[in-house]
Structure formats: structure tokens, C-alpha cells
Amino acid sequence: MNPAKPATLFSCGKPSPAQLLWGIIFGVSVPLGLLALRRLTLPIPVRYLIPCVCLIAGIAYMWAMVRDIRRQLDELQLRIYLEAAAVMVCGVFVMMLAYPVLQAAGYLKALEYTDVLLLLFVLGGGAYFNALRRYR
Amino acid sequence: VKNRLRVLRAEHEWSQAELATRLGVSRQTVNAIETGKYDPSLPLAFQMAELFSMRIEDIFQPNPNRQNSGEPAKNATNDLLRSSS
């Protein structure tokens, strides 16, 4: 973390150029790749290559983000992030294990990936703001 | 763990933000340590001790409210100290 200008608890650090670059590549490659796969008639190797590009960009983005978080945030901020991540991962894990029962009982329909994304946002966001409140 | 950070900071006439800058942490972290909501890591505690030119135990003391829960560990530490002296 840069001692000259410490980040606040609300910030997640300043994104490095690498994080920005990979984020843009990832953000652009997914819709463009989807568009190309749906609209164009592409040879099989290219069809397999497009998701790989998206995945590689996404993993690189994640890697850069984690590196930035580790370098820029102080120990309390890291703890808050860790608590939020733990709740998020454990919450999704529990939901996935309980999903067949919930579906059989009629609580849930067939699972969409957007449901999992929503669950991640709700759990992660809730846990993050709860931890922020606790340490404030 | 209770601490004398607020008193020491006041003695030096530093704001929370100023102390945070000197320690390289956020102001909220300094506030959380002062209010006892967060216990700093050992490296940060050493950094504070160095900044105030004091020993760590002169800044941080065990919280008496938590003695009951930590009784076995405390007894074990006391036994160890007795046996070594």
C-alpha cells in the first residue's frame, strides 16, 4: 500500500494499467465473441478459440485485480474483502448443495447462470457492507 | 486487546489521518484500532511502537474483559514463564 495516500475503506484501490487493460479486453471480448459465434459461420477451430480468448482475458483481469488489492489495501481492508469473499463462496456452495431440494420442493426453477451471478453480488455486497459497518 | 493509541496520538497532536499516513494504512484502520474493533497485525504493532518510540506492551495490553475466554492460554503462558525463570 502507498503510505503517501492510503486508500479508504470504501475504495478497492486504484486499478493498475494492467487491470484496466485486461478488464477492457475481457469486457469487449465477451459480447464481441458472442456476437461472432451467433451471427457468423466460423470454422470449428475458431469457434473453440473465441471462448478461450475470453477466458484468458478474464483470468488475467482477475489476476491483476487480486494483485492490485494485495498491493494497495491495508490489513483491515484486506480482512473486510476476505470476510466478504468467504461469505460469498460459502453462500454459493451451500445454495448449490441445497439446490436440488429447493428445486424439487418447487421453490426454484431451472438454474440460470444469471441467478448465480445475482447470488454472488447479493452475498458479496451484503457481507462487504456488513463488515464495513462492523469495523467502522 | 486494549490500547493507548488515542492517548499517544493526542500527545503527539496528530490527527487520525496523519497517523494513518505515517503508518501507511487507512484512517478507518486507525479508527478501528483505537476503538478496539480491530487488533492490528504484529508488523503494524511493531511499526506503531517504533513510531512512538515505545515497546509494544506499553501501547497494547490484554483486554481484561476477555480474560475468562483466554484463561487456559493465559495460565499456560504463566506456567511457561515461571518454568523458564
Side-chain angles (χ1 to χ4, degrees):
Chain A
M1 185 177 165
N2 179 14
K5 194 182 179 188
T8 68
L9 277 189
F10 289 103
S11 76
C12 50
K14 188 183 170 191
S16 64
Q19 187 188 338
L20 275 177
L21 180 70
W22 283 116
I24 291 168
I25 293 172
F26 179 60
V28 170
S29 67
V30 171
L32 279 185
L34 199 61
L35 204 66
L37 287 169
R38 283 183 178 169
R39 297 278 171 88
L40 304 175
T41 311
L42 299 166
I44 297 290
V46 178
R47 293 187 73 83
Y48 282 129
L49 192 68
I50 288 172
C52 292
V53 172
C54 297
L55 268 181
I56 289 168
I59 289 167
Y61 169 65
M62 186 190 70
W63 197 267
M65 185 174 64
V66 169
R67 195 182 52 202
D68 287 347
I69 285 174
R70 205 174 51 225
R71 283 181 181 171
Q72 294 177 23
L73 301 193
D74 71 16
E75 55 187 55
L76 179 57
Q77 293 163 332
L78 285 175
R79 184 182 177 133
I80 288 169
Y81 266 72
L82 194 65
E83 285 185 18
V87 169
M88 195 164 70
V89 170
C90 292
V92 171
F93 186 62
V94 166
M95 278 302 289
M96 290 302 104
L97 288 178
Y99 174 73
V101 181
L102 293 168
Q103 195 185 22
Y107 281 113
L108 297 172
K109 297 173 185 173
L111 196 65
E112 295 279 338
Y113 77 94
T114 47
D115 299 336
V116 181
L117 277 179
L118 183 68
L119 189 63
L120 284 170
F121 272 111
V122 169
L123 285 171
Y128 177 76
F129 285 109
N130 185 45
L132 265 186
R133 186 188 52 78
R134 192 150 21 89
Y135 291 115
R136 192 180 294 168
Chain B
V1 175
K2 62 176 185 175
N3 65 76
R4 297 178 54 223
L5 201 59
R6 192 183 291 270
V7 176
L8 293 170
R9 182 171 61 75
E11 282 174 5
H12 285 74
E13 296 179 345
W14 290 338
S15 64
Q16 284 188 343
E18 204 173 343
L19 177 59
T21 305
R22 287 171 190 271
L23 293 169
V25 297
S26 64
R27 188 194 62 77
Q28 287 85 352
T29 300
V30 170
N31 183 57
I33 294 169
E34 280 188 3
T35 52
K37 289 176 181 171
Y38 174 69
D39 294 331
S41 67
L42 207 48
L44 184 57
F46 270 115
Q47 213 179 326
M48 288 172 179
E50 195 183 339
L51 186 66
F52 291 114
S53 304
M54 297 175 91
R55 295 180 305 168
I56 286 183
E57 54 266 42
D58 294 332
I59 304 175
F60 298 97
Q61 292 91 32
N63 192 344
N65 297 334
R66 291 194 180 178
Q67 268 188 359
N68 289 340
S69 59
E71 204 63 46
K74 189 185 165 194
N75 289 341
T77 311
N78 287 342
D79 290 346
L80 195 69
L81 288 172
R82 247 181 262 121
S83 64
S84 63
S85 60

